[in-house]
Amino acid sequence: MARLAVFNQKGGVGKTTTAVNLAAGLARKGVKTLLVDLDIQGSASATLGHTPADDASAFALFSEARPLGALLRPVALAGAAPGGDLVPAHAELMKVDSLFGRGPRTLYRLRDGLDGHERAGAPRAVFIDCGPLLGVLSLAGVFAADRVLVPVSADFLAVQGALALEDTLKALEHVLKRRVERRYVLTRFDARRRMAHEIAATLAERFGPELCATRIAETVGLAESPFHRRDIFAHDAASRGARDYEALLEELLAAGFLEV
C-alpha cells in the first residue's frame, strides 16, 4: 500500500488540489484509493462534499482510537461513485495538539490505523492531505507516509515554506531512522510571469532531481472544480488542469515514487 503525505508549511500552494486530483487520477485507472484529510480547514472533505460530525472524522482516530475502517466515507472520484474513500476532517482537529500532546501514541496513531486497515484489506494508494502548520497532525501524516510530496506555488513565500520543510524533514531523520523520500512539484505556474521561471530555476538548483519535471499551471478549471464539489477529471477531463495532473501522476508512477 503506497502512502503519500502532501505537505508544505505554507498555505495556498495547492496541497488539497494535488492530493484530491492525484487520488482521482488513480481512480481513473481503477486503483482503489483512500484520502485522509488532516487539515483542520477540511478543504479536501468540502471539495468532495463531506461535512462530518466529530465522531465520524479523523478526530475520532486521535480522540477515541476509532478503527480507520469505521471512519471511511465513499466519495465520487473522476466521475465514478464511489471512486474511493475519504476519512473526513473536522474542526475539532485543532484540539489534537493541546489535548493529546506530541507523544508517540499520538504521532503514530495514523500510521497504526493505516497498518490495521491494511491487514483488513486496504486500498492500494493512500493520500494524506496535511495542513500548513507544523504540528501534531502534519507530523502524524509524515510519520504515517512512505514519501512526501511538496507542492510549491510560484511565489516567494511558498519557496520559503518548502525550504523550511526541507529542514524539518532532515531533522526528523534521526526520529524516523530513515531519510524521508520527497518530491517537490511547482504549482499555480503562470508561464507569462518572469518570476515564475526564476522560481522554477531556483527550485531546480536547490532540489535537483527531487523537483518534478511536471508543472501545474494556474487554470480556471482547477479554481472552479472545488466549487462544484468535483475533482478536475470529473469537472473537465479535457482541461489543461486535468492534463497537468495526469502528467504528474504518470511521472510519479514512472519514477517509482508512487507505487501501486
Side-chain angles (χ1 to χ4, degrees), residues 54-249:
D54 59 357
D55 63 347
S57 72
F59 180 69
L61 178 69
F62 293 93
S63 63
E64 305 171 24
R66 291 275 297 277
L68 205 64
L71 305 176
L72 303 186
R73 297 295 177 267
V75 289
L77 289 173
D85 289 315
L86 168 74
V87 176
H90 191 277
E92 291 290 291
L93 283 168
M94 70 175 63
K95 300 178 180 178
V96 169
D97 285 64
S98 58
L99 290 177
F100 311 117
R102 296 193 176 196
R105 291 184 62 186
T106 304
L107 291 174
Y108 288 99
R109 184 62 55 82
L110 177 58
R111 187 200 66 179
D112 294 343
L114 288 170
D115 287 347
H117 189 48
E118 183 172 6
R119 290 191 293 270
R124 289 163 57 190
V126 177
F127 295 91
I128 305 167
D129 186 21
C130 301
L133 299 177
L134 182 61
V136 166
L137 292 173
S138 54
L139 287 173
V142 172
F143 283 22
D146 302 314
R147 299 177 176 94
V148 176
L149 181 64
V150 186
V152 187
S153 59
D155 65 80
F156 173 74
L157 293 179
V159 173
Q160 294 301 105
L163 294 174
L165 179 56
E166 177 73 8
D167 292 338
T168 297
L169 293 176
K170 287 181 179 178
L172 289 175
E173 289 176 5
H174 76 280
V175 178
L176 295 170
K177 296 181 173 54
R178 62 181 173 90
R179 185 181 188 275
V180 179
E181 189 175 352
R182 55 264 204 186
R183 291 289 186 277
Y184 298 82
V185 57
L186 194 56
T187 62
R188 304 185 66 179
F189 187 81
D190 186 344
R192 299 168 299 178
R193 297 170 59 206
R194 177 179 175 182
M195 185 181 71
H197 293 281
E198 291 174 347
I199 286 174
T202 298
L203 293 175
E205 181 179 358
R206 178 63 179 82
F207 298 120
E210 291 186 332
L211 176 66
C212 293
T214 304
R215 297 171 180 175
I216 308 299
E218 187 164 27
T219 66
V220 172
L222 288 174
E224 288 179 344
S225 57
F227 176 79
H228 295 286
R229 300 294 188 263
R230 295 175 179 173
D231 59 80
I232 190 60
F233 299 103
H235 178 65
D236 187 353
S239 66
R240 169 67 185 275
R243 294 197 303 272
D244 284 351
Y245 272 107
E246 178 68 20
L248 176 61
L249 178 60

